Amino acid sequence: MSNLQLRVISAVVLAVVTLGLTWLGGLPFRLLCAAMTILIFYEWTRMCRPVAATGLGLLPEALLLVFVGALVAGLPASWLLLLVAVMVVVTVVVASMRQPSMRQAGQWDASGLAYAGISGLSLALLRDGDHSGLVAILFLFAVVWATDIAAYFVGRAVGGPKLAPSISPGKTQSGALGGAVGGVVAGLLLAAAAGAGNLAVLGVVALVLSLVSQAGDLFESWVKRRHNRKDSGTLIPGHGGVMDRVDGLVAAAFALYVIGWISATADHPAQGLFPA
C-alpha cells in the first residue's frame, strides 16, 4: 500500500471517528479530548526530552493524569484552568531545584503540560453538551480543515515567496493567503447552514482562526526543527504523529475558546457566538 493510500485511509478513519464523537458530545467527546491531551504530551516529551528521564521522575505524567481526570469528570473551567497553572508552576519549581543540565528539560516539560492541557480543555469546553457547542466545533473544523486544504493546493499551484523558510520551507505566502480565504469561506458556509445570524462577525472570527491555525502549524514546525525531528511521532499511518495533525486545530480552538469566553462565559463559550 502506497504512502498516499495510507494517508487517505487514515484521514478518513480519523475524520469519521472525530465527527462521530463530536456529534455525541458530552462524555464521549471529553474522552476524545482527554486521549488527545495525553498523546500530545507524550509526543511532546519524546521530541523535547534530551534523555529518557527528566530528573523529575514521573511528576509531569502524574500531574497530567490528575488534569485528565478532572477534564473527563467535567469540572468547571475555573478548576481546569487552575489545574493547568498548577501543573506548570509545580513542574518549573521542581525543575529549578534539579541539576542545571536537567532544568531546561523540566522547562520543556512544563511547556508541554501547558500546551496539552490548554488544547484539551479548549476543545472540551467549546463542545460542551448543547447545540451551540456542536455548531462551534463544526465551525472550527470547517475553518481549520479548509485552511489546510486550500493552503496546500494554492501553494502548489501558485508558489512564490516562502512564508517562513527557516521554520517550514514548504509553506508559501500564496498558500497562506489561499488558506485564509478558504477558511473564511468554509466557516461562513457552515455558519449559514447552521442558521447563524451574525455572519459578518463570524467572518472576522473565521479569519482570525485561519491565521491562528497557520501560526499553530508553524509553532509545531519550530519545535520539531528545534529538536531535529521530522515528525512528532509515528502513530498515524502516512501522517506522522497526533501533533502533526492537530497543531493548527488546537491553536485555533484556544483562540475560539477565548473569543467565546469574552462573548459569554468560560464554561459555555460557544453560546456567545452561536446562541441557541
Side-chain angles (χ1 to χ4, degrees):
M1 186 177 295
S2 69
N3 186 62
L4 178 59
Q5 290 174 319
L6 282 173
R7 287 178 64 87
V8 171
I9 292 172
S10 58
V12 170
V13 171
L14 284 172
V16 170
V17 171
T18 300
L19 290 173
L21 293 175
T22 300
W23 180 266
L24 292 173
L27 179 60
F29 189 76
R30 292 199 302 274
L31 288 170
L32 173 64
C33 294
M36 188 185 70
T37 300
I38 292 171
L39 290 170
I40 286 175
F41 185 67
Y42 172 81
E43 291 184 350
W44 180 283
T45 55
R46 293 306 172 274
M47 285 195 298
C48 301
R49 285 178 180 172
V51 291
T54 64
L56 302 180
L58 294 176
L59 175 64
E61 286 79 2
L63 291 170
L64 186 72
L65 287 178
V66 172
F67 171 80
V68 166
L71 183 67
V72 172
L75 264 62
S78 57
W79 282 100
L80 295 175
L81 290 166
L82 177 61
L83 280 172
V84 171
V86 169
M87 288 193 301
V88 172
V89 171
V90 169
T91 303
V92 169
V93 169
V94 174
S96 69
M97 296 185 292
R98 295 298 191 263
Q99 297 177 1
S101 60
M102 294 296 182
R103 290 175 188 170
Q104 186 175 21
Q107 291 167 357
W108 278 105
D109 274 7
S111 300
L113 287 170
Y115 184 76
I118 290 294
S119 298
L121 77 84
S122 296
L123 286 166
L125 293 172
L126 274 171
R127 175 59 183 93
D128 203 9
D130 55 18
H131 179 70
S132 296
L134 175 61
V135 175
I137 289 292
L138 294 179
F139 176 78
L140 174 69
F141 288 166
V143 172
V144 173
W145 292 349
T147 295
D148 286 346
I149 294 169
Y152 176 78
F153 284 106
V154 172
R156 285 179 63 89
V158 178
K162 300 298 182 180
L163 180 63
S166 63
I167 299 176
S168 184
K171 291 180 171 57
T172 61
Q173 295 177 17
S174 63
L177 179 59
V181 172
V184 170
V185 171
L188 287 176
L189 288 175
L190 188 286
N198 51 341
L199 293 182
V201 172
L202 291 175
V204 175
V205 172
L207 177 60
V208 171
L209 297 185
S210 180
L211 296 177
V212 171
S213 170
Q214 296 186 62
D217 193 340
L218 288 174
F219 170 72
E220 199 235 357
S221 295
W222 174 80
V223 173
K224 289 189 294 186
R225 185 169 290 272
R226 174 72 172 72
H227 296 282
N228 299 313
R229 295 295 186 99
K230 181 179 182 296
D231 297 314
S232 65
T234 59
L235 182 63
I236 306 175
H239 288 271
V242 172
M243 283 180 61
D244 294 320
R245 292 298 89 207
V246 303
D247 48 8
L249 177 67
V250 296
F254 180 58
L256 186 58
Y257 174 72
V258 172
I259 293 171
W261 183 355
I262 294 171
S263 304
T265 66
D267 288 299
H268 307 287
Q271 293 179 6
L273 293 169
F274 300 97

